[in-house]
Amino acid sequence: MVEIREMPPFACTLLQASAAVAATLGPAVPAPLTATEEMLWLGPEEWLLLGEPGVPQGPASLVDVSDRYRGLALHGPGAATLLNEGCPLDLADAAFPPGSCTRTVFGKAEVILWRPSAAEWRLLVARSFSPYLLALLHEAQADLTPG
Amino acid sequence: MLMIDCPWCGARAELEFRHCGEAHLLRPADPATLSDAQWADYLAFRDNARGWARERWRHVHGCGRFFNALRHTQTDRFAATYKPGQAWPEPPA
């Protein structure tokens, strides 16, 4: 049984800068398609910073988007199967190992999918989409539950 | 599902992408010197090829980046995807 939990609100900042400038913020800059506890790769020269951001040394765009996202955390062995009910990505360990992070879609909602560890998956979704996403996840879970 | 190779993210499902029209269109350096017909041609007229076409695509639900693709408009086959600024590949024989 996969546990679906709403995460408490969190502070986050969207960073757009060159990799060299991003490195001056302090935390290690994650490689493409991966994330660390402080920084999520979203695209070339685009990251989501969690927590309070540092001050970049060089041209950069930092936008506080803390109110944009709600977080959902999924725990449990069947989480990848559950996510694949709405997400077209290959979520097998070989294709999406722990540490992976990417923007993708779930149903009709755009989500940031992040796998901090083997057993945990996090979905960041635009606030107004979170009831939709939550309902869809619960429906998928009911579909996958035998009996 | 049709998979498209994003130059930054690798193979992803088609529904993460958006088609953005013909690629390699160059804005005329000095539009004021063009005739109405030439300007209309730049703004509105496209090759709409039946066969191999060079197109702009955007990985809108992914890394968000634009890239170019060589796609067959009848079979929907993608022969190549490449970053903006890179030379365009020749269509397969």
Side-chain angles (χ1 to χ4, degrees):
Chain A
M1 188 74 175
V2 181
E3 181 204 353
I4 303 168
R5 187 171 52 80
E6 282 190 81
M7 288 161 58
F10 54 92
C12 58
T13 308
L14 194 68
L15 165 70
Q16 287 185 302
S18 68
V21 173
T24 64
L25 280 162
V29 179
L33 298 166
T34 68
T36 64
E37 284 294 329
E38 295 94 18
M39 216 164 168
L40 280 64
W41 184 91
L42 298 182
E45 310 200 331
E46 187 181 0
W47 296 268
L48 190 71
L49 301 164
L50 302 180
E52 288 301 312
V55 179
Q57 308 296 312
S61 157
L62 283 164
V63 182
D64 185 347
V65 291
S66 302
D67 292 329
R68 181 193 285 181
Y69 294 113
R70 293 301 304 273
L72 299 176
L74 274 63
H75 290 269
T81 311
L82 178 63
L83 285 167
N84 271 145
E85 288 288 294
C87 173
L89 274 184
D90 183 355
L91 300 178
D93 283 350
F96 206 83
S100 297
C101 174
T102 183
R103 254 191 306 233
T104 181
V105 287
F106 190 96
K108 293 192 188 301
E110 181 177 301
V111 297
I112 297 172
L113 178 63
W114 174 26
R115 188 181 185 188
S117 66
E120 186 181 6
W121 303 71
R122 288 183 198 163
L123 290 164
L124 309 187
V125 64
R127 255 156 51 115
S128 57
F129 278 95
S130 69
Y132 164 78
L133 188 66
L134 209 52
L136 214 55
L137 281 168
H138 283 303
E139 191 179 312
Q141 193 162 43
D143 286 346
L144 291 173
T145 308
Chain B
M1 187 178 286
L2 176 64
M3 302 297 280
I4 301 175
D5 258 314
C6 169
W8 287 276
C9 303
R12 295 295 191 95
E14 175 190 12
L15 53 83
E16 290 187 5
F17 294 86
R18 189 160 299 164
H19 180 266
C20 299
E22 192 177 317
H24 302 293
L25 296 176
L26 284 182
R27 191 176 198 275
D30 189 0
T33 63
L34 298 184
S35 70
D36 285 353
Q38 286 170 317
W39 186 236
D41 186 55
Y42 163 71
L43 285 183
F45 289 88
R46 298 293 176 259
D47 285 348
N48 197 21
R50 186 169 188 257
W52 291 107
R54 296 182 182 96
E55 299 172 326
R56 243 155 58 101
W57 283 73
R58 186 175 177 218
H59 194 189
V60 60
H61 298 305
C63 61
R65 288 303 191 273
F66 285 91
F67 60 92
N68 295 325
L70 184 62
R71 182 179 73 98
H72 199 286
T73 54
Q74 280 178 290
T75 62
D76 221 11
R77 180 181 155 210
F78 280 74
T81 53
Y82 51 104
K83 294 180 182 178
Q86 289 181 340
W88 65 56
E90 288 306 315

